[in-house]
Amino acid sequence: QVQLVESGGQLVQAGGSLRLSCAASGRTFSYYSMAWFRQAPGKEREFVATINWNGGSTVYANSVKGRFTISRDNAKNTVYLQMNSLKPEDTAVYYCAADQRRDLSVTYYRANEYEYWGQGTQVTVSS
């Protein structure tokens, strides 16, 4: 069992930057691969980025590639999402998720691959 708490979401202007954090507690954090998803109003939850247990492997959605960076600090039990060059279409609730497999699943982009979820943090990008 692991508990996840996201923070860092806020209102920001287009072109700005934000860093989201997801603090984990419970079982050993390094046992899990981690991911960020987001959900905009009226839309399905979508994959944003994922990282394996030691940070050696990362994958990004095409929509955020080159703008967002996922990272983790296993000593602090925290995963981050650095978001640069934000666009209004990035507006969503961002969720942190944990998968009990250390290495990335071949279907890492599917929300149902992840056993644990945080409560979400709102990111709003104004134009």
Side-chain angles (χ1 to χ4, degrees):
Q1 190 84 356
V2 63
Q3 293 78 42
L4 304 172
V5 179
E6 301 97 333
S7 62
Q10 61 180 300
L11 173 65
V12 64
Q13 288 190 334
S17 297
L18 280 177
R19 188 177 80 158
L20 305 183
S21 298
C22 172
S25 60
R27 289 193 63 189
T28 305
F29 179 65
S30 62
Y31 287 178
Y32 297 85
S33 58
M34 302 295 295
W36 289 94
F37 284 74
R38 66 186 181 186
Q39 188 166 18
K43 295 188 176 182
E44 292 187 355
R45 191 167 298 190
E46 66 171 355
F47 168 77
V48 175
T50 188
I51 187 167
N52 75 330
W53 70 280
N54 65 358
S57 181
T58 58
V59 182
Y60 298 90
N62 287 335
S63 59
V64 307
K65 199 173 295 183
R67 299 188 299 123
F68 290 12
T69 302
I70 189 171
S71 62
R72 65 190 295 160
D73 185 337
N74 287 346
K76 295 183 178 179
N77 290 352
T78 302
V79 63
Y80 304 98
L81 185 68
Q82 177 66 44
M83 305 187 295
N84 299 328
S85 303
L86 282 162
K87 305 175 181 179
E89 52 264 42
D90 294 319
T91 295
V93 177
Y94 282 71
Y95 296 92
C96 173
D99 178 358
Q100 295 183 73
R101 288 165 288 201
R102 282 188 159 184
D103 292 311
L104 302 184
S105 164
V106 293
T107 50
Y108 56 82
Y109 51 88
R110 292 181 181 170
N112 61 10
E113 291 291 325
Y114 299 86
E115 292 82 13
Y116 304 103
W117 291 83
Q119 83 290 346
T121 185
Q122 176 71 47
V123 172
T124 303
V125 184
S126 64
S127 57

